[in-house]
Amino acid sequence: MPRFPYIIDGILFFHQFSLLDIFVDVHSLIRLEIFILDLSVALGALFAYGNATIAPYSEQFYVGGANSIRAFTVRSIGPGGYHPAESRYSYLDQTGTFRFEANVEYRFRIFKSFWGATFLDAGNVWLMRKDEARPNSQLELKTFPKQIALGTGVGIRYDMDILVFRLDFGIPLHLPYDTERSGYYNVT
């Protein structure tokens, strides 16, 4: 699927890539008058081919933020175990070509349309190809569990049936890169 044309020396080129993005959202897996349990899982893969060795930046995956792993800011984790030393423009380097995310949220009624919530989010992005400039960023089965970012938190919801307003507070439990702390809870 050719996309994003660009011109070099008068020759028109296209980025060539394929994108597979699967999002399974089980809203209200269990919905009772007093509580709701929501689950979601997202998988994505981006394959560059032909004249492209990497897909366009705008098409790459990222995690973190209000609609992803809520304990982390947007593009603050990944790819894999890579963590840039310089943080000024690091969000530009923290995209990937493979994504895994999972979220679980338990909501309980406080009063009428006001709900409390507790959640657990996990995931990361990786690169399908090795990148010397970003070590530990390639998807590998042996490092996959260690490179899953994990966050939890609490929040409040105002549910209007067609729209839900929410305010969340998240804290990280596991950083996907090496820190100076040992064990799974490695937040400094």
Side-chain angles (χ1 to χ4, degrees):
M1 137 172 112
R3 297 181 53 179
F4 300 104
Y6 57 97
I7 299 173
I8 298 177
D9 294 330
I11 300 171
L12 183 66
F13 291 93
F14 292 89
H15 285 288
Q16 296 174 322
F17 64 93
S18 294
L19 175 69
L20 174 65
D21 200 8
I22 300 170
F23 185 75
V24 178
D25 197 6
V26 184
H27 275 297
S28 307
L29 178 67
I30 301 172
R31 185 178 185 102
L32 302 172
E33 272 304 303
I34 56 171
F35 74 90
I36 300 171
L37 183 65
D38 284 344
L39 302 172
S40 64
V41 175
L43 289 169
L46 186 59
F47 303 97
Y49 62 89
N51 66 358
T53 57
I54 192 159
Y57 176 77
S58 61
E59 298 294 320
Q60 293 182 23
F61 300 110
Y62 62 90
V63 293
N67 296 316
S68 180
I69 304 171
R70 293 167 270 192
F72 298 91
T73 58
V74 175
R75 291 186 178 97
S76 64
I77 50 176
Y82 172 71
H83 185 65
E86 176 70 34
S87 63
R88 188 170 179 192
Y89 298 109
S90 64
Y91 64 91
L92 294 173
D93 290 332
Q94 296 188 264
T95 60
T97 53
F98 183 84
R99 172 181 71 160
F100 169 75
E101 276 183 62
N103 311 85
V104 140
E105 182 172 294
Y106 172 76
R107 288 188 222 155
F108 50 92
R109 187 180 302 275
I110 296 173
F111 178 73
K112 294 189 179 183
S113 295
F114 286 94
W115 296 76
T118 184
F119 56 86
L120 182 67
D121 303 329
N124 203 341
V125 293
W126 290 267
L127 298 177
M128 300 290 273
R129 294 184 177 160
K130 190 171 186 162
D131 184 355
E132 298 296 333
R134 297 187 278 177
N136 300 321
S137 60
Q138 188 175 10
L139 179 64
E140 294 178 357
L141 193 57
K142 67 181 180 181
T143 58
F144 185 82
K146 281 179 36 181
Q147 293 179 348
I148 296 288
L150 187 65
T152 189
V154 296
I156 191 163
R157 310 281 184 266
Y158 179 67
D159 191 349
M160 300 186 334
D161 289 331
I162 60 166
L163 186 64
V164 177
F165 290 100
R166 68 181 194 190
L167 178 64
D168 291 330
F169 175 73
I171 57 169
L173 296 176
H174 178 73
L175 301 172
Y177 49 85
D178 288 331
T179 64
E180 298 179 1
R181 297 188 76 168
S182 61
Y184 197 77
Y185 179 74
N186 63 351
V187 178
T188 56

